[in-house]
Amino acid sequence: MPICVGIPKEITEGERRVAIVPAVAEKYTKKGYKVILQKDAGAQSFFNDGDYDDISYVDSAREVFEQADVILKVQPPTVEEIDLMREGSIVIGIMQPHRYPERVAKMRDRKISSIAMELVPRISRAQSMDVLSSQASVAGYKAVLMGADLCSQFFPMLTTAAGTIRPARVLIIGAGVSGLQAIATARRLGAIVEAYDVRAVTKEQVQSLGAKFLQLDVNAESSGGYARELTEAEKHKERDMLADHVAHANVVISTAAIPGRKAPRLIDRNMVERMHPGAVIVDLAAESGGNCEVTEPGKTITHHGVIVHGPVNVPSMLSVHASEMYARNLMNLLELMVVDGELKPDWEDEILAGSSLTRDGQILHEPTRTLVEGGQS
Ligand code: NAD
């Protein structure tokens, strides 16, 4: 029996991505998988049913869940969806367990083997499965376009018969995957770009993209190449250093994050009030608490004449390419579980062990288990 991969339509409001795109579906079918797609599942990403060759279509998510050995999702399945799944099914998606603990508990109770793509360890062998990177680069690119759109100035320098236009000054805070993509995009649009990160190793990466690196004598690199939380004294130092640069920027794109924690607060109300009227802040950390004190997630507000944008689910806005990359990340992970055309996951494998959320009635991811089950053993 071929392995059956099923893709239901995403039902979370605002989610436009899909977990399979036609080019990836073709790869699955060529490898001998059976692919079942709920009708219209790709429509929000402009992939119409006719674009997928040699796959089966079903009318409802219920039929997908009844037949599939492996269910591919973007957003975590809802409690209602989990209820429709067969006991022992494998479901892979971006699970956001801290946000939806009740769904994790349901997957545990229904004995679903769930894999959270965002928990895939960031080791070199897993680079092709790294959804944090693929989706963050989409977000970094789009953030700059949103900033340029909200800004009432040109980004490039222009020499025209009507005079010379000065280039926009763009400040990127946080130079991880999304920040570096934001720098590259702002530079391509011709802006003067400054960037800052607490990890000293980013200095060269920032400079190689043609941006100026703002130096602070703090290096907060921690395990796995991530940033650690700063001490109170370091936080003051950082805000003092950033204040003038924020005040002079036409557009600030903030992307700073610390894994598993609330986003660091880097731009306070006073700093916003020192900016020029018409200046723009795009706070990519809006969903995880915001880098800016006045950000309202999902809204664009004006504070003291400064436009503060707090977009949510930015990768979904670029659904075609975000889906393409995500679908490839998923296939690469699934391939790890297949031996000679059969589903034989080695759950001890570092990648699967790190990303498994629930299996056999247990929550395997320690922080999630503590969140859901508290002190229970
Ligand atoms: P992230 O989304 O967790 O954070 C974004 C950025 O915010 C990071 O660069 C971080 O240093 C920065 N930041 C945190 N606190 C800050 C503060 N107070 N002020 C300014 N900046 C702050 O990180 P990410 O983009 O997902 O990844 C960060 C790093 O992880 C990468 O650059 C890389 O070194 C590593 N990584 C490794 C792999 C791999 O090996 N496969 C893949 C991707 C990323």
Side-chain angles (χ1 to χ4, degrees):
M1 284 278 279
I3 301 168
C4 180
V5 177
I7 302 92
K9 204 164 158 173
E10 291 296 320
I11 53 173
T12 304
E13 207 189 321
E15 183 53 72
R16 293 173 47 202
R17 290 169 292 177
V18 57
I20 196 165
V21 299
V24 172
E26 193 183 327
K27 288 202 166 92
Y28 278 120
T29 50
K30 278 195 175 142
K31 286 172 194 277
Y33 290 77
K34 178 172 186 215
V35 177
I36 300 182
L37 187 75
Q38 183 181 355
K39 279 182 193 158
D40 263 353
Q44 293 264 52
S45 286
F46 310 102
F47 299 117
N48 296 318
D49 289 349
D51 300 337
Y52 295 85
D53 293 329
D54 300 326
I55 67 161
S56 309
Y57 295 96
V58 290
D59 289 316
S60 65
R62 177 186 292 272
E63 291 161 90
V64 172
F65 298 139
E66 271 168 9
Q67 296 177 43
D69 302 308
V70 182
I71 298 154
L72 304 180
K73 292 270 304 152
V74 179
Q75 293 286 337
T78 62
V79 166
E80 293 72 28
E81 285 181 308
I82 299 163
D83 264 331
L84 295 174
M85 291 176 189
R86 282 192 279 133
E87 196 173 295
S89 310
I90 297 177
V91 57
I92 315 176
I94 304 172
M95 297 297 181
Q96 306 171 61
H98 52 285
R99 204 164 158 188
Y100 301 109
E102 73 293 351
R103 300 185 189 192
V104 180
K106 190 75 180 177
M107 291 195 283
R108 173 198 60 195
D109 297 344
R110 298 278 347 271
K111 299 196 168 54
I112 304 293
S113 299
S114 61
I115 296 178
M117 286 303 284
E118 70 271 42
L119 295 178
V120 166
R122 294 177 105 176
I123 53 174
S124 20
R125 190 162 61 89
Q127 268 180 8
S128 64
M129 310 162 199
D130 185 350
V131 296
L132 294 178
S133 289
S134 70
Q135 305 304 295
S137 62
V138 172
Y141 166 81
K142 187 71 182 174
V144 172
L145 299 189
M146 290 191 279
D149 195 27
L150 290 167
C151 174
S152 23
Q153 305 193 20
F154 278 112
F155 266 30
M157 185 179 104
L158 292 182
T159 310
T160 78
T164 300
I165 303 284
R166 282 196 314 275
R169 296 174 70 89
V170 175
L171 170 63
I172 315 276
I173 305 180
V177 180
S178 56
L180 291 173
Q181 191 58 249
I183 295 170
T185 307
R187 289 285 301 140
R188 281 185 211 117
L189 286 177
I192 295 178
V193 183
E194 292 181 325
Y196 165 69
D197 197 293
V198 280
R199 292 180 300 118
V201 46
T202 59
K203 179 179 177 178
E204 258 180 50
Q205 298 162 357
V206 165
Q207 288 173 337
S208 71
L209 291 169
K212 182 179 168 199
F213 186 73
L214 304 179
Q215 191 87 40
L216 186 73
D217 60 346
V218 167
N219 182 10
E221 177 133 6
S222 153
S223 59
Y226 286 112
R228 63 165 166 80
E229 190 164 10
L230 300 186
T231 63
E232 280 311 311
E234 287 171 335
K235 282 182 193 168
H236 279 294
K237 225 174 176 181
E238 178 176 51
R239 278 204 284 267
D240 284 349
M241 186 279 281
L242 278 179
D244 283 343
H245 296 276
V246 170
H248 292 125
N250 300 113
V251 176
V252 176
I253 312 279
S254 71
T255 75
I258 302 159
R261 287 179 183 272
K262 226 169 150 244
R265 185 56 54 79
L266 303 171
I267 308 168
D268 62 22
R269 192 174 294 269
N270 288 335
M271 286 159 85
V272 178
E273 291 170 7
R274 280 186 59 202
M275 293 176 80
H276 302 290
V280 175
I281 298 174
V282 178
D283 190 347
L284 269 191
E287 259 170 309
S288 56
N291 290 143
C292 172
E293 188 178 353
V294 303
T295 298
E296 293 185 27
K299 293 197 179 153
T300 310
I301 60 149
T302 303
H303 180 83
H304 259 244
V306 175
I307 301 158
V308 184
H309 186 43
V312 295
N313 198 357
V314 179
S316 176
M317 296 176 192
L318 217 77
S319 59
V320 172
H321 281 154
S323 299
E324 276 181 17
M325 293 196 276
Y326 181 65
R328 274 188 228 122
N329 292 148
L330 278 179
M331 191 179 70
N332 292 329
L333 183 101
L334 182 51
E335 283 282 275
L336 194 68
M337 295 195 256
V338 176
V339 182
D340 297 331
E342 283 183 48
L343 210 45
K344 285 186 182 156
D346 170 9
W347 296 116
E348 302 297 313
D349 180 289
E350 185 183 3
I351 297 173
L352 294 179
S355 56
S356 289
L357 198 55
T358 61
R359 192 168 62 251
D360 296 336
Q362 294 198 26
I363 299 174
L364 302 163
H365 181 241
E366 186 71 50
T368 305
R369 188 167 60 237
T370 308
L371 178 74
V372 177
E373 298 175 353
Q376 300 168 34
S377 58

